[in-house]
């Protein structure tokens, strides 16, 4: 952390941080939280490495401030692709927080719906299954089994796929976690990089508007 402060003062902040979750002393999640006290996700991306694969582990990483994560054992090609994807991005210049406005709010809502539909499309094409499977596998969205028909139904995910049904106060964290979940589970899909770029755009807009997620 001291190195990062010195690097920033010298104008040589690293393009990203590759961080192992399990480390002696302070673990990677704690280090990531400390980094986020000084640097935003856009200014300094953090890629976590972990041997764990559960959704809870991913959520802990996301809440700590990680941009992305890789599971061990690492695949060399995937590692290089992820590093290249993040390092080629130019960190944005600091900007003054935007004043909330109906137009900006509508932009946020439209972007969210668009990205959720993109994520579902990537999931369906990669996994050959639909929205119910995404809800069950991710654990982010509630689903239940109809007692009369025995069919599984989704409680809220479908509301996030259309502007007309999007809740007045959306759960932005669920949207962000869904995008990251799909991107992580479908790394070979040709539109996954676009999904990751969209996630960064959504995160930046949420921060500009001061929305909690």
């Amino acid at each position: 952390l001291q190195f990062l402060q010195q690097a920033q003062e010298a104008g040589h902040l690293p393009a990203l941080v590759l961080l192992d979750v399990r480390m002696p002393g302070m673990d990677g999640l704690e280090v990531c939280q400390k980094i986020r006290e000084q640097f935003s996700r856009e200014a300094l991306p953090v890629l976590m490495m972990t041997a764990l694969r559960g959704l809870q582990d991913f959520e802990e990483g996301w809440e700590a401030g990680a941009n992305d994560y890789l599971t061990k054992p690492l695949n060399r090609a995937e590692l290089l692709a992820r590093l290249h994807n993040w390092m080629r991005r130019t960190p944005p210049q600091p900007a003054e927080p935007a004043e909330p406005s109906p137009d900006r709010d509508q932009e946020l809502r439209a972007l969210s719906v668009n990205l959720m539909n993109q994520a579902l499309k990537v999931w369906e094409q990669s996994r050959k299954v639909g929205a119910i499977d995404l809800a069950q596998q991710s654990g982010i969205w509630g689903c239940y089994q109809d007692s009369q028909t025995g069919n599984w139904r989704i409680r809220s995910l479908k509301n996030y796929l259309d502007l007309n049904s999007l809740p007045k106060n959306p759960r932005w964290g669920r949207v962000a976690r869904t995008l990251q979940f799909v991107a992580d589970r479908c790394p070979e899909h040709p539109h996954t990089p676009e999904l990751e770029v969209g996630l960064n755009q959504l995160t930046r807009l949420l921060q500009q508007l001061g929305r909690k997620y």
Side-chain angles (χ1 to χ4, degrees), residues 33 42 44 71 75 87 126-127 200:
Q33 289 173 340
E42 289 74 29
L44 185 59
T71 54
N75 178 282
M87 291 180 68
S126 296
R127 297 300 186 99
N200 285 328

Side-chain angles (χ1 to χ4, degrees), residues 81-94:
R82 296 285 186 92
L83 291 176
H84 176 72
N85 180 54
W86 287 103
M87 291 180 68
R88 69 183 179 183
R89 303 180 189 188
T90 303
Q93 296 298 318

